[in-house]
Amino acid sequence: GQFALCAFPSDALRTADENAVLRFILKEHPDVIVHTAALSNTQYCQQEPEDSFRANVLLPEWVAKGAEEVGAKLLSCSSDQVYAGVTQRGALAETLPLSPSNVYGQHKLEAEARVLARCPDAVALRLPWMYDLPGYHLPIRGNLPLNILKAAKTGEVLRFSRNDYRGVGYVREVIANLLPAMALPGGVYNFGSGNDKDMVDTALYFAHLLQVDVHIEEADFVRNLVMDGQKLQEHGIVFRSTQGAFRQCLADHGMDI
């Protein structure tokens, strides 16, 4: 293999303090650190901001400190939730001034700033809502195709808005693009599929490809989290559209579409 992989022991980061994080990084002395750990339930973060602050701000800062000490290239995972509350339409560029409307987005934005202040060569990747299908014996949380399949089975009504726009990412495409991302110059990058369709049409498209019927009740909330991929494309990294990535996912799972 191209890499020897090492990871923090399972669940270790839930309770680790700064010293434990630094000790582990110094012991392993990696060339590259990919920091994916987060407390990403936006509702929980809203209710428990102290937990969110530790997991989503302090922990990335500790990892950045470790990366700085061993001279490792750091890829730190951020989120499209930094764009929560943006009122402009269309794809959103990294240069937009932001003041996220939820605690999770606020903490992710603060983590970007702290990580880059400590490690200017670090790469902060703003990730979209992601999915995969079962089949790899890995735990999979609620995601768009699974929510649609579940609703088709149970008759549950799904709620989406015609004024809600966001990219939805295929996790395996994100993982494949981590390799070229290691060569990116330090900074913040939108890192996922774009989407020019609203979430009602997006959900209907996924249902159509999955060959199931779902009942969608139209909600009316307004949101735009669609990320502009141009900065990334200038460095040679291109993501498929939300729709194209889902077709690829089904092909990868051997489903004829």
Side-chain angles (χ1 to χ4, degrees):
Q2 202 172 349
F3 296 98
L5 292 175
C6 61
F8 279 92
S10 182
D11 251 15
L13 291 176
R14 200 179 291 275
T15 53
D17 60 9
E18 183 175 353
N19 283 336
V21 170
L22 291 175
R23 267 201 316 274
F24 183 82
I25 292 172
L26 288 168
K27 177 171 74 82
E28 296 292 344
H29 213 285
D31 297 315
V32 180
I33 298 173
V34 182
H35 180 70
T36 59
L39 199 52
S40 60
N41 182 322
T42 52
Q43 209 173 344
Y44 180 84
C45 291
Q46 206 65 27
Q47 291 159 351
E48 304 290 343
E50 284 177 20
D51 279 5
S52 174
F53 188 78
R54 184 204 161 275
N56 297 324
V57 179
L58 295 180
L59 189 54
E61 191 174 28
W62 300 339
V63 172
K65 201 171 175 182
E68 183 189 35
E69 289 203 21
V70 299
K73 179 73 173 181
L74 173 60
L75 272 56
S76 190
C77 293
S78 186
S79 168
D80 62 0
Q81 289 291 335
V82 298
Y83 295 109
V86 166
T87 52
Q88 78 176 54
R89 304 299 288 260
L92 307 170
E94 293 89 343
T95 48
L96 204 62
L98 298 173
S99 53
S101 58
N102 61 46
V103 166
Y104 179 67
Q106 289 158 17
H107 286 166
K108 281 297 195 179
L109 190 63
E110 185 168 343
E112 289 178 3
R114 290 191 185 204
V115 164
L116 286 164
R118 168 121 3 223
C119 271
D121 192 39
V123 173
L125 303 174
R126 292 178 176 170
L127 299 173
W129 188 25
M130 290 183 284
Y131 62 85
D132 198 355
L133 294 174
Y136 296 95
H137 308 293
L138 295 169
I140 293 179
R141 293 189 313 181
N143 63 45
L144 185 58
L146 286 192
N147 294 352
I148 287 168
L149 288 169
K150 194 168 128 235
K153 204 171 175 180
T154 63
E156 177 198 347
V157 176
L158 296 174
R159 286 173 59 80
F160 292 101
S161 170
R162 291 251 173 226
N163 293 308
D164 181 19
Y165 291 84
R166 67 186 309 189
V168 188
Y170 176 29
V171 73
R172 295 192 176 259
E173 184 176 32
V174 172
I175 292 165
N177 280 330
L178 288 176
L179 211 54
M182 292 173 188
L184 288 168
V188 175
Y189 296 84
N190 289 333
F191 204 73
S193 294
N195 191 2
D196 56 7
K197 302 276 190 287
D198 66 57
M199 284 307 294
V200 173
D201 282 342
T202 300
L204 288 171
Y205 183 82
F206 275 46
H208 169 71
L209 288 190
L210 289 164
Q211 300 174 0
V212 296
D213 289 317
V214 286
H215 183 49
I216 292 177
E217 190 178 285
E218 291 194 17
D220 62 356
F221 66 90
V222 177
R223 175 172 60 180
N224 181 17
L225 303 178
V226 178
M227 298 189 290
D228 184 336
Q230 197 176 338
K231 180 181 177 184
L232 202 60
Q233 285 169 25
E234 285 164 8
H235 292 279
I237 302 176
V238 180
F239 278 88
R240 294 177 175 87
S241 69
T242 289
Q243 292 74 16
F246 190 52
R247 290 196 298 273
Q248 183 62 49
C249 170
L250 294 179
D252 288 351
H253 284 269
M255 295 168 74
D256 292 329
I257 50 168

